[in-house]
Amino acid sequence: MEKYIEGNKAAWEEAFDNRHASWGADITERVEKEDYPFFNDEMVAVLKKINTKGAVIGQFCCNNGRELLSLVKSGSAARGVGFDIAENQISFANEKAKELNLPCEFVAANVYDIDDSHKEEFDVVIITIGALCWFDNLDRFFAVIAKCMKPGAVIVINEQHPCTNMLATQGDEPYNPDHKKECHYSYFEHEWTGNGGMYYMTQKNYESKTFTDYTHSMSEIMSGMCSNGIMITGLQEFDYDISGGFSDIDCTGFPLSMIVQGKKQ
């Protein structure tokens, strides 16, 4: 395992150990009572057009499992498998699957290391906000994803828009509240290393173990998919934030999020 991935694993597990009491507390109730909870309206519209009844669904970087549990339940899927590097998150997700009596299995794994035991397993794959940034090489990442997809399988990615790579957020040194859309960083290449913690999970500021993430251009995402036999079938771009980092320019015309759809040839 690469050193930066080992560091990210430690930082994620540390954040989960220090999670706020509310983190994941609503999963069981919402999955039981709501239709497609934990997905935004545009993502729900896309998912409802996919035939998930009886399907096997995979999610890579599944976090606490809430989205996969939601889709398996609401979409009447036969089975779901979620992968995440944080072992404590995976244990939590498996507990929720048991509580909900849903056919979901969560596996602790570095995506790069997923072996042929999952080859051509999935009819549908989902990737959601905050997944792509943890990998330095998207061609390598999508090679694994494609290997795990059946021929004809579909993939839906709901992620932060690559244009946000150029922006500073509150707490960054170049951030200027009077010029929130000013571009400070390279669109094409930027590596981030920090110890600022995972606030959205812990609801507190703390000095965390060091983690590293990477920005990726739209061309890297598209090329990573296409070069591994995944045909792009749809792209929607939105000016609303799904990351929590750019809410101060929400709905002001700047591209903040997107949904990319593809199909394995």
Side-chain angles (χ1 to χ4, degrees):
M1 187 185 295
E2 289 89 338
K3 187 174 181 180
Y4 84 90
I5 293 179
E6 289 181 357
N8 290 347
K9 180 179 186 294
W12 272 109
E13 291 179 342
E14 176 187 47
F16 185 78
D17 286 339
N18 292 280
R19 66 190 182 278
H20 191 269
S22 64
W23 178 250
D26 59 348
I27 291 175
T28 300
E29 182 178 7
R30 291 193 63 187
V31 170
E32 285 179 337
K33 295 181 178 180
E34 298 179 29
D35 194 31
Y36 294 91
F38 308 114
F39 294 106
N40 59 51
D41 290 345
E42 286 77 15
M43 187 66 166
V44 171
V46 168
L47 293 172
K48 283 186 173 181
K49 292 178 181 177
I50 297 171
N51 183 15
T52 55
K53 187 174 182 179
V56 181
I57 300 174
Q59 183 178 15
F60 296 83
C61 303
C62 64
N63 206 292
N64 63 15
R66 65 182 192 173
E67 292 152 339
L68 184 62
L69 292 165
S70 170
L71 182 54
V72 168
K73 167 73 163 34
S74 296
S76 301
R79 188 163 60 90
V81 182
F83 303 93
D84 199 276
I85 200 167
E87 295 180 40
N88 48 9
Q89 292 251 50
I90 288 299
S91 295
F92 178 88
N94 278 316
E95 289 173 6
K96 292 300 176 184
K98 289 180 181 178
E99 285 180 23
L100 288 159
N101 194 29
L102 286 173
C104 288
E105 173 193 4
F106 294 92
V107 180
N110 170 18
V111 170
Y112 284 162
D113 296 335
I114 294 172
D115 61 26
D116 286 351
S117 63
H118 297 282
K119 186 176 181 179
E120 296 187 356
E121 182 172 12
F122 303 123
D123 302 289
V124 179
V125 166
I126 59 169
I127 296 172
T128 56
I129 178 70
L132 300 183
C133 65
W134 299 111
F135 300 92
D136 63 341
N137 187 328
L138 289 192
D139 184 68
R140 184 180 174 191
F141 174 80
F142 281 113
V144 176
I145 306 305
K147 175 182 71 174
C148 295
M149 296 170 69
K150 296 177 183 177
V154 298
I155 181 171
V156 183
I157 303 171
N158 188 200
E159 259 285 11
Q160 186 171 305
H161 197 286
C163 283
T164 61
N165 297 349
M166 300 180 288
L167 301 178
T169 59
Q170 293 185 44
D172 290 345
E173 185 177 345
Y175 178 80
N176 184 338
D178 296 322
H179 300 280
K180 297 171 184 176
K181 297 179 186 177
E182 185 175 350
C183 297
H184 298 277
Y185 305 114
S186 168
Y187 172 76
F188 295 101
E189 184 177 358
H190 195 81
E191 177 181 326
W192 305 77
T193 300
N195 300 86
M198 312 291 180
Y199 182 85
Y200 78 95
M201 190 185 301
T202 62
Q203 296 298 299
K204 62 184 177 184
N205 296 309
Y206 65 102
E207 185 172 344
S208 70
K209 295 180 179 180
T210 301
F211 56 87
T212 304
D213 62 12
Y214 301 86
T215 59
H216 298 289
S217 65
M218 188 73 81
S219 60
E220 280 186 88
I221 297 168
M222 299 293 187
S223 296
M225 296 172 72
C226 293
S227 65
N228 288 289
I230 301 173
M231 178 177 64
I232 308 299
T233 59
L235 171 63
Q236 298 180 69
E237 300 170 285
F238 310 103
D239 70 346
Y240 62 79
D241 180 43
I242 60 173
S243 71
F246 304 98
S247 56
D248 53 355
I249 57 170
D250 220 15
C251 302
T252 61
F254 194 95
L256 298 175
S257 59
M258 64 181 186
I259 295 175
V260 183
Q261 294 172 252
K263 183 175 183 178
K264 182 178 176 179
Q265 296 175 299

